[in-house]
Amino acid sequence: MSANHVMNTAMYALARVLLLVGACIAVRPALAQQPSSVSASTPTFASVALHDVVDSKGELDDDAVTTDRLVSFFDWLVGNGWTAVSLDDIARAGRGEDALPAKAVLITFDDGYRSLYTRVYPLALAYGFPIIAALVGNWMEPPAGSMVKYGSRMVPRERFITWDQAREMQRSRLVEFALHSQALHAEVVGNPQGNTMPSAVTRSYVPGVGYQSEADFAAALRADLASGRAMLQRELGRAPRALAWPYGRYNALGTQSARDLGFEFALVLDRGPAFLNEPLRLVRYLPTYNPPLLELAQSLRPDPNERRVDRLVCLDPAALWAGDEVASNERLGRAIERVRALGVTGLVVDAVRHDAQGRITAAWFPTRELPLAGDWLSRVAWQMHTRADVKVYARLPHRRALAALGDEARVQRLYEDLGALVPLDGWLLEDAGPLAQPVRFDDPPPLFEHRPGIPLSWSAWVVRERRRSMLKALGRTDGPDALGWRAFAALDAARPGLELLWLAPTRAVAAPHPLAEISLVPTGFGDPVADNRLARVDPTLLSWFTGSAPPDARLLTRKAVDFQRHGGVSLGWCPDDPVADIPAAAVAAPGVSASIFPLRR
């Protein structure tokens, strides 16, 4: 494509912008009202991870957006006082040399689709927006006319930009290229049942051989990043300073490899804003299903105190484990459909097996420290996450683990093995008070507006920052509570972005734990104390209905409806029987479901 054609396309884009101004004017304040820059100490900014850009809805896939939607978004940014920033801007602000604008957004495009040159580049020229574009080495390497392995299928090499086009865009000084790995944008088999998982965070499983060792995994990860970095340096004349993790997945091993190889920035897909003091974990919002302009706009400044609606249910893998693969998978399939029918948002899954006295006897995942009850937890977690669209939280009490193993170092290794081999979304912390000792938290200055009457101190991203401060202080503490925090740190190193669930030790807790995303308060059925709590529900807490047996569906429904009528938001119950369907999903779902009508995605 000639330079003249590129500029003609840019002019076409500008014409489209002018046509869209009228459509956007209702939501656009006058440019004179845009806020001035804030101090260099402003810790956060917004970032968005876009992919392919297509002209018609018929060409869309999950991550693509249409051209008119992208133009609308860019025009909205200009009209609402947002400033697209570069990595240079972020680096200077991180060093305290300059201030980011009050409304700063980092715009990134992953995968290097052809539309990066034919659609995005002309718009970058038209708007003067800096763009970060992440390339996959294995998709750039094949010659023209060949086929490229893209996920599980082969696509023409022409689906992606050429090196000549990349060099032209780089010369504009508006497009900076990042590495999206050399060959990690793929999945590998991650358990004996054959589930495929993101290769950047998964130790591959080979039948008859077993799991890849940590040393081999780390070496392969480092070699891939080094190879991709060398390719971009050879083709573009400069080594990339930014790495975009494939699928947004990363861990402590990968972060250390990136740091050792000289990467200054790493782009991920966690929730929340990006922090200047975390350049190797720059959080990005991922638009899916060609979202409307309103959703794109709200993603830049989401409500930090949005009241999440959670429905949590216990799951014991032993209930689904039949000893053979066929029968076990059949039970798992029925359990998945039941979870969907109940409208559950998360499962609290036992990671270990207990005896009648509650002592840990074996693990549902391979570990150096316990006998193997069955290599089953990874399968359950992955299937529930991908097929039932729920979060999976591991239940592995650290005090019981210490009682079983007798040594804190062995407990630490147990949690390291859990994090390394099981795809988790979080962990349930039990037997720990609100805080073992006072900890001073320096909450970051707020970036987002928030609703009056709801304390900003409970926003999810502030909770994470507080917890980070707590984990840094672990070296100066000891005792059972400190062991619990070290256990979470081990899991979070392997699965960054994990959520922490805290189970309150008593029913008298009046406020959520300052370091947990979800605080569970035990609640009984037919208990006068519990019934009295319903009259003074704290919407920031999750009522955790417990008992010696799964609740009756009608009783659970009545309690749930009454709970919500008094202002309650989130609830859950334990135990639960997925095989016998107790409580009956068809009866309980109308009262407990958190599904979004008509379908949950």
Side-chain angles (χ1 to χ4, degrees), residues 99-446:
L100 284 181
K103 293 182 177 181
V105 57
L106 182 70
I107 303 173
T108 71
F109 283 82
D110 288 357
D111 296 350
Y113 293 107
R114 183 173 178 268
S115 61
L116 176 66
Y117 184 71
T118 62
R119 299 291 181 268
V120 178
Y121 180 43
L123 288 173
L125 292 172
Y127 285 89
F129 282 179
I131 300 292
I132 309 302
L135 304 179
V136 178
N138 272 12
W139 298 348
M140 295 291 293
E141 199 169 28
S146 60
M147 301 296 287
V148 172
K149 187 174 182 182
Y150 177 76
S152 60
R153 58 195 175 95
M154 303 298 291
V155 300
R157 169 63 180 82
E158 283 67 31
R159 180 165 187 180
F160 306 99
I161 64 169
T162 67
W163 285 117
D164 283 341
Q165 291 168 342
R167 285 187 279 268
E168 178 187 334
M169 288 186 278
Q170 182 174 265
R171 285 194 297 270
S172 73
R173 304 182 69 178
L174 284 175
V175 181
E176 177 172 343
F177 288 96
L179 179 65
H180 207 18
S181 83
Q182 178 68 20
L184 294 177
H185 206 299
E187 296 182 329
V188 295
V189 174
N191 57 34
Q193 295 81 18
N195 287 114
T196 56
M197 305 174 189
S199 62
V201 293
T202 304
R203 297 190 200 175
S204 60
Y205 179 86
V206 178
V209 177
Y211 288 93
Q212 184 181 28
S213 70
E214 179 178 320
D216 288 346
F217 171 76
L221 189 64
R222 183 184 180 93
D224 181 279
L225 300 184
S227 175
R229 184 175 170 85
M231 173 180 279
L232 263 65
Q233 183 168 25
R234 182 178 66 249
E235 296 291 343
L236 299 177
R238 57 180 292 186
R241 55 177 168 173
L243 168 67
W245 286 109
Y247 308 108
R249 305 294 183 89
Y250 64 107
N251 56 26
L253 284 174
T255 299
Q256 186 59 51
S257 293
R259 181 183 290 109
D260 292 344
L261 289 169
F263 287 98
E264 301 173 40
F265 305 96
L267 310 174
V268 304
L269 295 176
D270 294 343
R271 296 182 61 184
F275 282 79
L276 286 174
N277 64 351
E278 291 186 306
L280 288 174
R281 181 185 164 268
L282 296 183
V283 173
R284 299 180 295 165
Y285 157 69
L286 172 64
T288 56
Y289 304 101
N290 194 35
L293 177 59
L294 178 61
E295 181 178 327
L296 286 167
Q298 289 177 335
S299 73
L300 301 184
R301 288 203 169 198
D303 183 350
N305 294 287
E306 182 179 4
R307 295 181 181 180
R308 54 186 292 169
V309 178
D310 290 293
R311 295 291 182 269
L312 303 185
V313 177
C314 274
L315 176 63
D316 184 355
L320 307 178
W321 180 252
D324 70 272
E325 185 173 341
V326 174
S328 297
N329 280 320
E330 183 179 345
R331 289 185 182 180
L332 176 58
R334 292 200 302 269
I336 289 171
E337 294 307 314
R338 179 172 176 271
V339 164
R340 291 176 60 87
L342 280 167
V344 170
T345 64
L347 295 173
V348 180
V349 183
D350 286 315
V352 292
R353 189 172 64 188
H354 302 83
D355 62 17
Q357 287 73 43
R359 295 173 297 199
I360 295 175
T361 60
W364 292 109
F365 60 96
T367 174
R368 297 163 283 180
E369 303 302 330
L370 288 171
L372 184 64
D375 194 349
W376 184 228
L377 184 59
S378 173
R379 171 71 169 179
V380 171
W382 191 254
Q383 292 294 96
M384 283 293 182
H385 181 72
T386 57
R387 287 186 53 196
D389 193 24
V390 297
K391 293 183 177 181
V392 176
Y393 305 101
R395 184 182 181 217
L396 176 52
H398 63 282
R399 289 177 184 259
R400 292 189 186 183
L402 182 59
L405 299 177
D407 180 76
E408 289 196 5
R410 295 186 65 194
V411 173
Q412 188 79 5
R413 287 194 292 270
L414 178 66
Y415 283 93
E416 290 172 357
D417 293 340
L418 174 61
L421 297 176
V422 181
L424 298 172
D425 298 291
W427 176 60
L428 176 65
L429 174 63
E430 304 174 73
D431 298 323
L435 276 179
Q437 56 183 305
V439 177
R440 178 178 178 179
F441 303 112
D442 295 322
D443 288 343

Side-chain angles (χ1 to χ4, degrees), residues 17 95 128 222 247 433 462:
V17 169
R95 294 190 298 266
R222 183 184 180 93
Y247 308 108
V462 171

